[in-house]
Amino acid sequence: MRKNNWAMALALAVLLPLTARADEGMWLPLFVKRLNHADMQKKGLKLTAEEIYDINNASLKDAVVQLGGFCTGEFVSSQGLLLTNHHCGYDAIQSHSTPQNNILQNGFFAATKAEEKKNPGLFVDILVRMEDVTGKVLEGITPATPEQERMATVQKRQKELADAAKENGQYVAYVRDMFGGNEYYLFVYQRFGDVRLVGAPPEAVGKFGGDTDNWMWPRHTGDFSMFRVYADKNNKPTATPQDGNVPYVPKKHLPVSLQGVSEGDFAMVFGFPGRTQRFLPAAGLQLTLDQTNPARIKLRDTRLKLWKEDMDRDPALRLKYASKYASIANYWKYFIGQNEGMKRLKTVEAKQAEEKALADWIAQDPARQQQYGEALSTINQAYAGIRQYNLSVQYINEGAFGTEIITLASRLMPLYMALKATPADKAAIQKAAADLKEPVAEHFKDYSAPTDKKVFAALMSLYQQDVPKDQLPDVFQTVQKQYGGSMQKYADYVFSTSFLTSQAKTDAFLAAPTLAKLEADPAFKTMNSVYTSFTQNILPTMQGLQAGLGRANRLYVAALREKNAQKVYSPDANSTIRLSYGTVRPYRGRDAVSYDYKTTAQGILEKEDPSNPEFVVPQKELALLKQKDYGRFADKNGNLPVAFITDNDITGGNSGSPVINGRGELIGVAFDGNWEAMTGDLAYDPELKRCINADIRYVLWCVEKLGGAKHLVDEMTIVNNGPNPGVGPQTSASAAAELGDVEKMKVKTDKGGKTKIKRKKEDAAAGM
């Protein structure tokens, strides 16, 4: 494209969203007023755009946090009380459990703040602001800019912008690309490193249905846990838990509604969706279908079965491996569902048709041909090359590094490099060894060498069997020559000889590390062989293919957006804050099978099976449900609501996200998607895609009635107290009213373009 056409394209990209209609998507809250607000109002939103996202005043964005970098949570009180999913808190709950005090199994609710449990390493990030910095990142870059030069310039500017926004460590900041590198956004957060476990229901409630019900509707799972964020006495974050810290006072917390939901009600989900790939081309989809997902499924299935065999035999081991098992099993089932969905919905074929139409459109104009003409062919060539090495990559990630001993060995690489350095630097060696003390202790706390040995033999055998022979690391030649190709015999040798099978042996090595001993360790030798083979024989080729693919993808996405000027595309999820909006809505799953939009406690009783660990109902809950002791949490028909579904667009990372009604009140907690729409990360299906949510009334019933922790419910701001209260809708202002003080921020830009933030304390309810 000639320079003037390039400038016109940039202008068009800015103007298009002003007139286009917003469809499905996970939207950046920065643009809610321009892109989404009118459509949201039509669906039932009563809030102003500023009540959703405002940099200068408390808004919904201040009530939503990213938990640990992997989940979402929301403030539900003025004392920093945080609600998220049970599976998001699972690792923390398990870490505080012992065979003598198994709170994972029995549940736990702190009676006082002094009983709340610290979790070193767990943090929350709260958004301060976000900014479109596309112009700053891409200034002076044109289609003629060489790709390597472009990449270096972009990375440098991303780092500079992020570093400046951190304000000497006061904030966490980063710049993320959107639309394949066509746009760039700065995100600035406050990070709080003192997050304490407040409560969780018994695992039989929080994980009711287990793997059988996972990714399924209807659901009857109380998938929630509670934490509290702590700050210093000035309400500022600390990097780690501190004894002098006090509960954080958030700028905003969500009022909790007991009014319930009806079909067609507005629903908004606010959170941090992890990753979608809706611009993935047909060749990438085909690779996922043919190679990537089948490899992941096969290797995870093998690991899970071996873990479960030992977990079923040993209750103590079950507790140790509970969190690891749940984490691996979740996406094992997801990959199965995604492949089934891609075949059923013909996702690859639909993308191929879209690409053909795009190719025809490009061919109709010489300027388009000049700018976009090689994009699709480059993409297809790159994926043809990637396909040759993709199995190796998957078997390294899910096979070799699916064994815990290999993962631990990889952690020793910084120490290995320090030991190899010439001349020797004793201080660097001592630091590298000291840095390993905590990770090693954490590893062995939940580790079984005999179990890992079985996994090692099985996964490495599959690696040996399935990966092209010319891509196998040298260690497999050793297995063939010295052990007759028997991976079981090699596993016997590794686990009987390596010091990495025992914390005592590993600690002894770290106390006096030597290069000779590390290089002689068979577990480390195995890891290093895999790592060296990858970095020398596979990575360089893959990087070359990916470099060309990156540019082609960027052009492909730009061409799609230019061609379909009538559509507003939302950027793919990338763990940055987003909102989605929709309605409470049932669906038809398949021929002659229709699903209601809600479930009740009656379904728990119908599913109850004392002989099946996935469907055991705790005795106390069973008694309460049979007595219909629902209290104020019953719906207008006298039933206890458990879950409901909406057509909100979500993905992994949205776990724990608040589901918010049109008045800005919390009505549920998002925790899953439905089986029929497992292709949602690749292609959104408005008829099938559903977000599964724990009804907030069931959550509160579990806290107050089942858990005996009414004091936590009393801490919240409860509105619409009871079913069908007979009063008109609250105004958005009253629903948004908060307790206590909040910080108001005034954002100004100086002459040099540097953003400055001024703060002043102001009562949240004032002027509302």
Side-chain angles (χ1 to χ4, degrees):
M1 183 179 286
R2 296 181 299 275
K3 187 173 181 180
N4 60 332
N5 288 336
W6 173 247
M8 290 174 62
L10 284 175
L12 184 63
V14 172
L15 292 172
L16 284 178
L18 297 175
T19 57
R21 183 177 66 84
D23 298 309
E24 85 282 343
M26 302 172 194
W27 303 96
L28 293 167
L30 176 66
F31 297 125
V32 64
K33 186 172 185 177
R34 186 175 73 179
L35 296 183
N36 313 108
H37 193 244
D39 192 35
M40 295 168 77
Q41 287 179 310
K42 291 176 184 177
K43 291 179 180 291
L45 177 70
K46 306 300 181 185
L47 302 178
T48 65
E50 289 75 17
E51 286 176 299
I52 296 172
Y53 177 86
D54 192 328
I55 193 171
N56 291 315
N57 301 283
S59 57
L60 287 184
K61 76 169 178 63
D62 299 303
V64 182
V65 309
Q66 186 171 39
L67 175 66
F70 51 80
C71 275
T72 301
E74 55 273 1
F75 288 117
V76 290
S77 88
S78 61
Q79 300 176 55
L81 189 63
L82 195 72
L83 191 61
T84 187
N85 283 159
H86 185 270
H87 71 262
C88 294
Y90 200 92
D91 188 61
I93 302 164
Q94 181 258 345
S95 72
H96 292 293
S97 298
T98 65
Q100 296 75 30
N101 183 25
N102 192 341
I103 67 172
L104 181 65
Q105 177 179 313
N106 302 326
F108 162 78
F109 288 98
T112 65
K113 291 183 177 66
E115 293 182 10
E116 296 172 359
K117 300 181 182 297
K118 297 177 182 178
N119 300 282
L122 186 61
F123 62 87
V124 300
D125 285 342
I126 305 174
L127 182 69
V128 176
R129 64 184 177 91
M130 59 179 296
E131 178 186 348
D132 182 351
V133 293
T134 305
K136 296 176 182 177
V137 173
L138 298 181
E139 183 180 4
I141 293 175
T142 72
T145 303
E147 191 64 16
Q148 292 299 322
E149 179 183 333
R150 184 189 197 277
M151 290 174 60
T153 302
V154 165
Q155 290 174 3
K156 180 174 179 290
R157 291 174 178 173
Q158 284 180 284
K159 185 178 185 303
E160 289 172 346
L161 288 165
D163 287 347
K166 292 175 183 177
E167 297 188 16
N168 296 318
Q170 185 176 357
Y171 301 108
V172 171
Y174 47 77
V175 175
R176 292 278 170 84
D177 71 283
M178 309 280 175
F179 298 112
N182 285 292
E183 296 179 13
Y184 292 84
Y185 292 83
L186 169 69
F187 297 85
V188 183
Y189 297 91
Q190 275 192 308
R191 174 165 293 179
F192 291 77
D194 191 347
V195 184
R196 306 185 190 183
L197 177 64
V198 174
E203 184 180 22
V205 174
K207 201 181 173 185
F208 184 74
D211 290 336
T212 300
D213 271 8
N214 192 21
W215 302 108
M216 297 292 182
W217 179 258
R219 291 294 284 280
H220 300 84
T221 312
D223 197 344
F224 78 94
S225 60
M226 306 178 80
F227 291 80
R228 193 183 304 278
V229 178
Y230 280 73
D232 68 16
K233 293 180 180 179
N234 296 315
N235 211 38
K236 300 298 182 185
T238 60
T240 59
Q242 303 292 328
D243 289 339
N245 281 355
V246 295
Y248 170 65
V249 180
K251 298 181 180 70
K252 181 173 180 63
H253 69 267
L254 297 177
V256 179
S257 172
L258 298 187
Q259 191 170 13
V261 300
S262 299
E263 183 176 344
D265 283 356
F266 174 85
M268 173 168 53
V269 172
F270 224 132
F272 293 83
R275 181 172 174 77
T276 57
Q277 294 179 287
R278 293 182 182 165
F279 293 104
L280 191 66
L285 292 171
Q286 192 71 59
L287 185 68
T288 300
L289 182 65
D290 295 343
Q291 278 191 356
T292 304
N293 280 354
R296 289 168 171 170
I297 293 165
K298 181 177 184 178
L299 292 164
R300 290 194 177 204
D301 184 66
T302 300
R303 186 171 13 160
L304 290 168
K305 285 178 178 176
L306 292 170
W307 278 357
K308 193 170 189 303
E309 286 177 4
D310 287 5
M311 292 168 71
D312 287 347
R313 283 195 292 264
D314 184 351
L317 184 66
R318 181 192 178 278
L319 183 58
K320 283 185 174 183
Y321 274 72
S323 180
K324 291 186 280 192
Y325 185 95
S327 177
I328 297 300
N330 188 38
Y331 268 81
W332 160 75
K333 188 169 183 179
Y334 169 87
F335 296 138
I336 295 172
Q338 187 179 74
N339 261 27
E340 289 184 8
M342 288 174 71
K343 293 173 185 175
R344 183 177 66 254
L345 300 175
K346 300 185 182 301
T347 306
V348 176
E349 292 84 347
K351 185 68 74 169
Q352 288 171 337
E354 179 184 70
E355 290 176 10
K356 184 181 183 307
L358 181 65
D360 292 343
W361 175 81
I362 292 172
Q364 292 169 7
D365 183 89
R368 295 177 200 155
Q369 291 178 39
Q370 182 181 350
Q371 179 66 15
Y372 306 124
E374 296 181 1
L376 288 171
S377 61
T378 301
I379 286 171
N380 291 330
Q381 290 170 10
Y383 274 108
I386 290 170
R387 179 176 284 267
Q388 297 179 44
Y389 296 93
N390 185 50
L391 274 182
S392 281
V393 174
Q394 302 308 321
Y395 275 73
I396 289 168
N397 289 333
E398 298 277 354
F401 285 90
T403 67
E404 295 170 273
I405 197 169
I406 296 300
T407 301
L408 178 61
S410 70
R411 288 181 173 271
L412 272 65
M413 283 300 290
L415 176 58
Y416 176 59
M417 300 308 295
L419 289 168
K420 285 184 67 177
T422 303
D425 185 338
K426 291 184 178 180
I429 293 171
Q430 290 174 351
K431 183 181 185 306
D435 288 344
L436 285 165
K437 294 293 180 63
E438 187 175 326
V440 165
E442 182 68 21
H443 168 85
F444 282 108
K445 180 174 69 71
D446 296 318
Y447 180 67
S448 166
T451 300
D452 195 31
K453 177 181 170 182
K454 295 177 184 178
V455 173
F456 179 93
L459 295 189
M460 293 296 282
S461 181
L462 290 174
Y463 190 165
Q464 183 179 36
Q465 168 189 303
D466 294 347
V467 169
K469 303 305 178 188
D470 61 348
Q471 295 177 28
L472 288 174
D474 291 343
V475 66
F476 290 100
Q477 295 182 22
T478 300
V479 174
Q480 190 65 41
K481 292 176 182 178
Q482 298 182 20
Y483 300 91
S486 171
M487 195 57 69
Q488 183 58 60
K489 291 180 179 178
Y490 183 65
D492 291 340
Y493 162 69
V494 170
F495 280 78
S496 65
T497 309
S498 174
F499 63 75
L500 292 172
T501 57
S502 156
Q503 182 171 357
K505 292 178 182 178
T506 305
D507 286 345
F509 168 76
L510 294 177
T514 66
L515 181 61
K517 187 169 183 179
L518 184 56
E519 289 184 328
D521 185 89
F524 185 82
K525 286 172 67 176
T526 302
M527 182 283 301
N528 202 25
S529 176
V530 173
Y531 174 79
T532 301
S533 174
F534 175 71
T535 55
Q536 293 183 358
N537 304 326
I538 296 172
L539 184 60
T541 301
M542 291 290 282
Q543 286 178 329
L545 292 167
Q546 290 288 352
L549 184 60
R551 179 178 183 276
N553 274 333
R554 187 172 68 248
L555 295 174
Y556 163 62
V557 173
L560 267 180
R561 295 174 76 196
E562 186 178 336
K563 174 183 179 293
N564 301 320
Q566 76 288 351
K567 178 178 180 178
V568 178
Y569 288 93
S570 65
D572 269 323
N574 58 2
S575 294
T576 55
I577 192 166
R578 307 293 179 92
L579 65 85
S580 71
Y581 56 93
T583 57
V584 176
R585 185 179 169 199
Y587 73 103
R588 184 182 176 119
R590 56 186 184 277
D591 185 41
V593 178
S594 297
Y595 294 104
D596 198 358
Y597 67 88
K598 61 183 178 180
T599 61
T600 68
Q602 180 61 33
I604 298 175
L605 297 176
E606 291 171 354
K607 287 182 175 180
E608 187 225 354
D609 181 358
S611 67
N612 185 341
E614 294 186 327
F615 293 98
V616 169
V617 179
Q619 285 302 308
K620 183 177 180 180
E621 181 178 28
L622 197 60
L624 289 169
L625 295 183
K626 287 182 176 180
Q627 295 165 13
K628 295 192 174 182
D629 187 357
Y630 304 150
R632 55 178 167 157
F633 306 111
D635 65 18
K636 61 184 178 181
N637 297 317
N639 299 314
L640 178 63
V642 173
F644 65 94
I645 52 174
T646 65
D647 57 8
N648 289 87
D649 194 359
I650 67 161
T651 189
N654 273 124
S655 292
S657 291
V659 188
I660 303 168
N661 66 16
R663 297 186 297 274
E665 302 158 352
L666 185 66
I667 55 175
V669 185
F671 71 90
D672 213 350
N674 60 318
W675 186 254
E676 295 86 354
M678 288 290 91
T679 57
D681 286 353
L682 306 174
Y684 179 86
D685 187 321
E687 296 306 314
L688 290 177
K689 179 76 171 177
R690 291 296 181 272
C691 171
I692 303 175
N693 316 291
D695 193 299
I696 196 62
R697 293 168 292 180
Y698 183 57
V699 171
L700 298 188
W701 180 86
C702 288
V703 176
E704 181 173 311
K705 288 284 188 177
L706 182 61
K710 184 176 182 295
H711 61 284
L712 294 175
V713 180
D714 291 343
E715 187 180 319
M716 304 176 195
T717 304
I718 305 295
V719 295
N720 299 319
N721 199 352
N724 196 20
V727 297
Q730 294 186 352
T731 64
S732 59
S734 64
E738 297 292 341
L739 302 175
D741 292 338
V742 297
E743 280 189 327
K744 277 202 169 184
M745 297 184 295
K746 296 298 180 183
V747 179
K748 296 183 178 181
T749 304
D750 64 18
K751 293 181 180 180
K754 183 177 180 180
T755 301
K756 293 184 176 180
I757 301 178
K758 293 185 177 180
R759 299 173 175 81
K760 67 174 182 177
K761 290 285 186 180
E762 190 167 306
D763 187 77
M768 290 188 178

